[in-house]
């Protein structure tokens, strides 16, 4: 399951996940945190549980399928797109499995 399945509320329109579970060993070592704007689903990352922000943004685009999103990773320094990939929504807001689970 992707990192957005473990989001917690961090304030109005803000969510976060600490990507420190064992499936992601590098994330566990660096204590990577994903901060998410719940209205746009923009993700920003930091290390050491939010102490050091990483220079990347990850905006999200909707597709015709509400359970498939397209995410890009963009450098905040150069503005260049580094990668683009599809993300599958595997659980709904109530924690119930979706069709891609």
């Amino acid at each position: 399951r992707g990192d957005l399945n473990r989001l917690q509320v961090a304030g109005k329109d803000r969510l976060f996940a600490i990507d420190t579970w064992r499936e992601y060993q590098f994330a566990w070592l660096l204590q990577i945190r994903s901060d998410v704007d719940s209205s746009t689903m923009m993700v920003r990352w930091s290390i050491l549980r939010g102490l050091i922000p990483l220079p990347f943004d990850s905006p999200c685009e909707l597709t015709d399928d509400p359970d498939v999103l397209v995410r890009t990773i963009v450098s905040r320094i150069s503005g260049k797109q580094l990668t683009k990939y599809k993300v599958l929504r595997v659980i709904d807001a109530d924690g119930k499995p979706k069709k891609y689970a």
Side-chain angles (χ1 to χ4, degrees):
R1 295 190 174 175
D3 56 6
L4 297 182
N5 291 316
R6 299 187 188 198
L7 292 174
Q8 301 173 45
V9 176
K12 186 177 190 287
D13 296 327
R14 305 296 303 167
L15 305 166
F16 80 97
I18 300 294
D19 303 329
T20 57
W21 57 102
R22 298 280 182 191
E23 301 95 271
Y24 299 114
Q25 290 181 358
F26 75 94
W28 182 77
L29 291 171
L30 295 174
Q31 302 280 312
I32 294 177
R33 175 179 166 136
S34 298
D35 285 286
V36 182
D37 182 312
S38 64
S39 61
T40 64
M41 294 306 288
M42 168 81 78
V43 178
R44 290 193 168 152
W45 296 282
S46 58
I47 58 174
L48 302 177
R49 292 186 176 250
L51 290 176
I52 301 172
L54 297 176
F56 308 106
D57 287 336
S58 185
C60 190
E61 301 169 28
L62 300 176
T63 66
D64 293 336
D65 183 339
D67 293 329
V68 177
L69 306 171
V70 175
R71 183 162 298 290
T72 56
I73 297 179
V74 179
S75 167
R76 273 190 256 147
I77 296 168
S78 68
K80 291 184 179 181
Q81 178 179 301
L82 304 175
T83 191
K84 189 173 192 170
Y85 57 96
K86 288 184 180 179
V87 178
L88 303 177
R89 195 180 311 247
V90 295
I91 60 172
D92 65 15
D94 298 320
K96 295 179 183 166
K98 302 288 276 177
K99 66 182 172 185
Y100 295 112

